[in-house]
Amino acid sequence: MRANSLLRQLLDQEHTIVRGFQLDERGLTIDVAPATRVPRCSGCTNRVPRGYDARTRTWRHLDFAGMRVSLRYRLQRVDCPRCGVTSELVPWADPGSAFTRDFEDTVGLLAQRMDKTGVCGLMGIAWQTVGSVASRVFRRRGPRDSLDGLRRIGIDEISYKRRHHYLTVVTDHDRKRVVWVGIGRKAATVDAFFDALGEQRTSQIQLVSIDMAGGYIEAVKRRAPRAAIVFDRFHVQRLAHDALDEVRRSEVRAQLGGAAAKALKHTRWSLLKRPWNLTLGERQRLASVQNANSALYRAYLLKETLCHILDGRQVHVAARRLGEWLAWAQRSRLKPFIRLAKTIKEHEEGILRYVSTRLTNAFAEGINSKVRTGVKQAYGFRDPSSLIAMIFLRCSGMTIPPVRHVPARAVTQLAA
Ligand SMILES: [Zn+2]
């Protein structure tokens, strides 16, 4: 077998011919060309007249046995009647990429399950590059139909770039995956999602889980009026935690230096944990709060009772008990809980709907923690589209098959 045909077999790129190669300290450079004589436009893939100039370009390919491999070709600039001046289409790479598709798919596959150091170390590329590769892999291999068949969805925000920027993430509760991501967390972002979804598919949405903050409520009510809204249980719980913590802090301030202040020391976690998770020491601290500070203990009971109501499984029981809770909180003389009661009263129906559906954004929260890990790693990404691509790569259930070429001739020899 001649060297060129061996290389062609090893590369196994469709519509690609091998013209020669060069082996030096940089590795193996293979001179290739598209098998078609007439160039195609990389914008619209239509045939175009011969190019008017050309420049030698290289594309990084998968290593052969640890040796760096590049493809080299004089890429023509073409004048497309539809797209204007673009470069010609090559069969081994996406337009604008300095990597072959096989290389990019491998990066995408690794980025789905490996951290930054792993991917960059193994593939020998910068993290920034992983971001742009992820965008192309997602465009090429991402699901086309992720918005089809949605019935129950969650809409949630996540922050990136050290909390100053937000993405809105839409998840499918039934298939447990991310189906849409948009920049921002305003009503306009939700509008963009429903625009993409279209009227017909929107009318199929039965249920939307959201948290009580932000511009989501109004937008969901306006765009999907037939969908039932469920308020995320964990968000309700978080608000109760915040109210409790506010009471604790103001009590600590009020009793600064006093004997009672000692009892409040290091009580934060004892107060916030669910009772069955408390350690013995935390139980003792809680008992001392009960003796020393009735306001804080009252706040603790309010928080704990609210969580308990949400634990319930019968809607009518939960509804009755929530009514009692609201009355209690309003009389509690604890400002943060009076405020919380007001918020809960306003959103009562959606909160109780949790009890009947048991639907939370917990999966989305799980996704969020997955996303957040990615986001932390993605601080190096300059543009959010890379981050969005990483989210889809990791959380949309998309599969990238490992690159595995079986040289055609080897197959025929085996068959013979
Ligand atoms: Zn074109």
Side-chain angles (χ1 to χ4, degrees), residues 296-330:
L296 186 54
Y297 196 68
R298 209 156 66 241
Y300 168 76
L301 290 178
L302 277 164
K303 181 273 290 184
E304 203 36 60
T305 308
L306 180 62
C307 294
H308 195 69
I309 294 169
L310 295 172
D311 287 338
R313 299 207 167 240
Q314 285 173 292
V315 185
H316 67 280
V317 177
R320 177 170 49 77
R321 296 189 57 202
L322 191 61
E324 290 164 6
W325 185 91
L326 286 169
W328 177 24
Q330 277 150 1

Side-chain angles (χ1 to χ4, degrees), residues 154-292:
I155 305 180
D156 221 332
E157 63 175 50
I158 59 147
S159 60
Y160 70 102
K161 275 195 185 166
R162 307 193 193 277
R163 310 207 153 270
H164 296 304
H165 295 73
Y166 291 89
L167 296 178
T168 293
V169 179
V170 180
T171 46
D172 178 351
H173 282 296
D174 298 303
R175 278 172 291 190
K176 308 231 174 297
R177 61 189 194 193
V178 170
V179 294
W180 191 87
V181 182
I183 298 170
R185 56 166 174 175
K186 300 221 163 76
T189 318
V190 178
D191 278 331
F193 164 70
F194 283 110
D195 288 345
L197 195 61
E199 251 172 59
Q200 208 273 326
R201 288 187 294 198
T202 300
S203 67
Q204 307 292 314
I205 302 273
Q206 297 161 355
L207 217 139
V208 183
S209 69
I210 46 178
D211 63 26
M212 291 180 290
Y216 292 158
I217 303 174
E218 179 274 329
V220 171
K221 280 185 178 162
R222 179 165 44 78
R223 298 300 301 265
R226 287 167 59 190
I229 291 178
V230 183
F231 288 113
D232 182 42
R233 179 235 166 103
F234 293 100
H235 182 235
V236 178
Q237 221 159 287
R238 207 155 54 229
L239 292 180
H241 280 183
D242 292 348
L244 173 59
D245 212 38
E246 210 180 315
V247 174
R248 186 188 62 85
R249 271 179 284 129
S250 75
E251 289 301 311
V252 169
R253 268 197 307 276
Q255 316 218 346
L256 211 59
K262 208 175 159 220
L264 301 183
K265 254 193 166 175
H266 308 300
T267 54
R268 183 155 188 246
W269 297 116
S270 318
L271 289 164
L272 294 184
K273 270 188 180 177
R274 303 300 307 268
W276 51 85
N277 289 329
L278 291 172
T279 63
L280 187 60
E282 287 166 339
R283 270 175 219 285
Q284 284 166 348
R285 253 167 260 147
L286 199 58
S288 65
V289 169
Q290 185 176 8
N291 291 329

Side-chain angles (χ1 to χ4, degrees), residues 127-160:
W127 185 240
Q128 179 70 39
T129 312
V130 175
S132 46
V133 169
S135 301
R136 281 190 296 270
V137 173
F138 169 60
R139 266 203 300 277
R140 194 160 63 232
R141 293 194 171 273
R144 298 276 170 266
D145 60 345
S146 61
L147 296 181
D148 285 350
L150 296 177
R151 296 286 179 274
R152 307 188 302 164
I153 57 169
I155 305 180
D156 221 332
E157 63 175 50
I158 59 147
S159 60
Y160 70 102

Side-chain angles (χ1 to χ4, degrees), residues 333-344:
R333 296 189 312 274
L334 302 167
K335 268 191 196 138
F337 278 92
I338 296 170
R339 265 204 315 275
L340 177 63
K342 197 164 166 264
T343 308
I344 289 180

